[in-house]
Amino acid sequence: MRKKIVAGNWKMNKTLEKGVSFSDDLKQRINASDSEAIVVLGVPYIHLDRMAHLSNDLYSVSAQDCSTKESGAFTGDISSSMIASTGAQYVILGHSERRAYHRENNADLATKVDRCLLDALTVIYCCGEQLEEREANTHFEVIKSQLSEALFHLTAEQMSSVVIAYEPVWAIGTGVTASSDQAQEMHAYIRSLFEEKYGKAISDDVSILYGGSCKPSNAEELFLKEDVDGGLIGGASLNPSDFIQIIDAI
Ligand code: PEP
């Protein structure tokens, strides 16, 4: 069954103390909400253990990246098994900031996806085109490569542990949101790629989230689109009041 998911991405924000106080606030708000969305919080590594234990199953915790390696002499890196050992259940992979600032490519991401699945983590796999790619009308090709090169070696069964986040890079942190029609067009295309590769049952089941300046004022319009199954929320996930409004919008 396709799931409705609202996932936050805190990026490099909040001390541990601020994260704990956000968690207390968010739990009260989720308790008072009748939303049935699955709520995920993508937090910095230092928060994972504490927040996974504080969440009371009201939300799940996600890392924002993991190493391509299993263990060893890789100073500063964190492996998928270390993430799983904290109680976190998700990992965001392929975020455009990782692709841009850490030069992650689709081949690296294929390895990371494999590692996470071996450790029973659910992957939120991000894809998205740059503004120039959309202007050159190559955005469909870009998304196709990002998906096929990092994910299409997986079996149909493994695909049930993958969630897609379509995040046009020109919409991330810019205040410029893709229109709900632009989001729907790309989400339907992504679903068609899954249908081609894995068949209708898998493509119907895959959750495809929209990310890029999604906020309380535009979330409902985006979420009403047939192929938009929720959101990956950056800036607006830092404030419990904004975040719960987006959760409620679903
Ligand atoms: C993101 O970075 O994943 C994101 C969607 O950011 P924002 O909501 O701030 O555009």
Side-chain angles (χ1 to χ4, degrees), residues 179-241:
S179 71
S180 55
D181 287 339
Q182 284 173 318
Q184 169 57 28
E185 181 185 40
M186 185 57 88
H187 284 223
Y189 174 69
I190 292 171
R191 209 175 292 288
S192 77
L193 295 175
F194 279 93
E195 183 169 352
E196 226 170 79
K197 171 75 188 167
Y198 292 102
K200 180 135 177 61
I202 301 289
S203 76
D204 276 348
D205 276 3
V206 67
S207 295
I208 309 175
L209 317 183
Y210 169 79
S213 299
C214 181
K215 44 192 179 242
S217 58
N218 59 26
E220 189 175 349
E221 189 186 338
L222 287 158
F223 296 165
L224 276 170
K225 291 292 181 184
E226 192 185 337
D227 289 298
V228 179
D229 305 311
L232 180 56
I233 318 298
S237 72
L238 293 170
N239 173 314
S241 152

Side-chain angles (χ1 to χ4, degrees), residues 9 11 95 167 171-173 211-213 232-235:
N9 175 14
K11 313 190 184 193
H95 191 280
E167 301 206 302
I172 295 183
S213 299
L232 180 56
I233 318 298

Side-chain angles (χ1 to χ4, degrees), residues 136-152:
N137 212 24
T138 56
H139 47 302
F140 292 111
E141 268 166 57
V142 170
I143 301 301
K144 187 174 185 176
S145 318
Q146 290 177 345
L147 293 173
S148 59
E149 291 170 22
L151 295 181
F152 283 3

Side-chain angles (χ1 to χ4, degrees), residues 63-84:
Q64 300 172 5
D65 180 41
C66 75
S67 172
T68 53
K69 303 289 194 298
E70 194 177 350
S71 63
F74 302 102
T75 303
D77 287 346
I78 303 281
S79 71
S80 52
S81 60
M82 292 159 80
I83 292 166

Side-chain angles (χ1 to χ4, degrees), residues 6 49 72 112 128 139 159 242:
V6 178
D49 173 63
K112 292 185 182 201
H139 47 302
M159 228 38 235
D242 287 346

